[in-house]
Amino acid sequence: YQRRVHGTPSECLFFFDPFMPPKPQNKSTAKQAAKSSKSLREIYEDSCTINKVKPNSLFLEMLPDKPGTVLNTDTLDFSRNYVGDRGILAVLEIVQRSPQIQRLIITENGLRNNAIRAISNVVCKHPGITSVDVSDNYISEGAGKALEQMLKDNPRIIELGFSNTKIDVDCRLRLKDLIALNAANARQ
């Protein structure tokens, strides 16, 4: 299932994801204040609990435990650190709250199409990410379409790795064309 959200500077494509918990429509100000007073570590641990996954110990160590403190890196590299299909959802909670992140590397993580859709939904709205690498994951046409939409919606993305995937040749060519277009526009 998909729906488009209009009225934003870029039009993002959202997909139904059975792994993602529904977001409440109306949040009270008390709940918002409580959420903003949590550290990134607490937010990640809470998201892991909601998604029923064990927190990734190496990533957990990176996260600040003081509320209001930001992640002190511009690159999240999970290439040697498995997070998996549901675990990436908890990681994305941190990515959304970290506008300084520029590179997201999630190679060889057992990700499938739904995980790539979730990544694309976050990245298409992210103000800082310019590079994403999802190589060596078992992804195909559905993920390819989500990545295409992400590149259209977020022209800041000038690098996209998707080698050793099941994305078909036609989609690969479209992705490469969109990357080249974004890179050319970034140079101007």
Side-chain angles (χ1 to χ4, degrees):
Y1 305 122
Q2 56 183 329
R3 71 184 163 107
R4 292 193 182 272
V5 177
H6 299 280
T8 58
S10 65
E11 183 180 33
C12 294
L13 183 64
F14 293 90
F15 293 88
F16 170 74
D17 187 347
F19 294 118
M20 293 189 85
K23 294 193 178 193
Q25 295 298 323
N26 296 319
K27 294 181 181 176
S28 70
T29 54
K31 283 184 181 178
Q32 286 177 345
K35 195 171 190 176
S36 65
S37 66
K38 289 186 174 186
S39 70
L40 289 179
R41 184 175 294 183
E42 292 169 319
I43 292 168
Y44 176 65
E45 290 172 328
D46 289 351
S47 186
C48 285
T49 301
I50 290 167
N51 289 295
K52 298 178 181 162
V53 294
K54 182 180 173 187
N56 183 289
S57 58
L58 291 175
F59 185 56
L60 192 60
E61 287 176 19
M62 286 178 53
L63 298 174
D65 58 358
K66 291 183 181 176
T69 307
V70 297
L71 196 59
N72 68 356
T73 185
D74 65 355
T75 301
L76 286 182
D77 185 350
F78 290 95
S79 61
R80 293 179 179 86
N81 197 3
Y82 186 88
V83 291
D85 236 7
R86 287 185 297 150
I88 195 64
L89 300 176
V91 169
L92 292 174
E93 286 293 322
I94 302 306
V95 171
Q96 289 175 328
R97 290 167 173 80
S98 304
Q100 79 284 1
I101 294 176
Q102 295 175 7
R103 298 182 68 220
L104 187 58
I105 304 166
I106 319 166
T107 58
E108 284 188 274
N109 264 270
L111 302 182
R112 304 240 178 208
N113 290 346
N114 279 341
I116 301 302
R117 287 182 188 116
I119 292 166
S120 297
N121 286 337
V122 169
V123 172
C124 82
K125 298 175 280 188
H126 197 278
I129 294 179
T130 60
S131 176
V132 177
D133 192 347
V134 294
S135 298
D136 298 307
N137 285 293
Y138 195 73
I139 57 177
S140 59
E141 183 183 355
K145 288 180 181 179
L147 293 170
E148 270 186 75
Q149 193 64 46
M150 178 188 73
L151 290 169
K152 290 175 185 176
D153 292 341
N154 188 343
R156 291 179 301 277
I157 300 173
I158 57 173
E159 294 176 6
L160 176 64
F162 52 89
S163 61
N164 297 323
T165 63
K166 301 289 183 186
I167 296 173
D168 66 50
V169 174
D170 290 337
C171 186
R172 287 173 182 269
L173 293 173
R174 289 190 302 272
L175 289 171
K176 288 181 179 184
D177 288 345
L178 286 167
I179 295 163
L181 178 65
N182 286 358
N185 289 337
R187 285 190 291 266
Q188 293 178 351

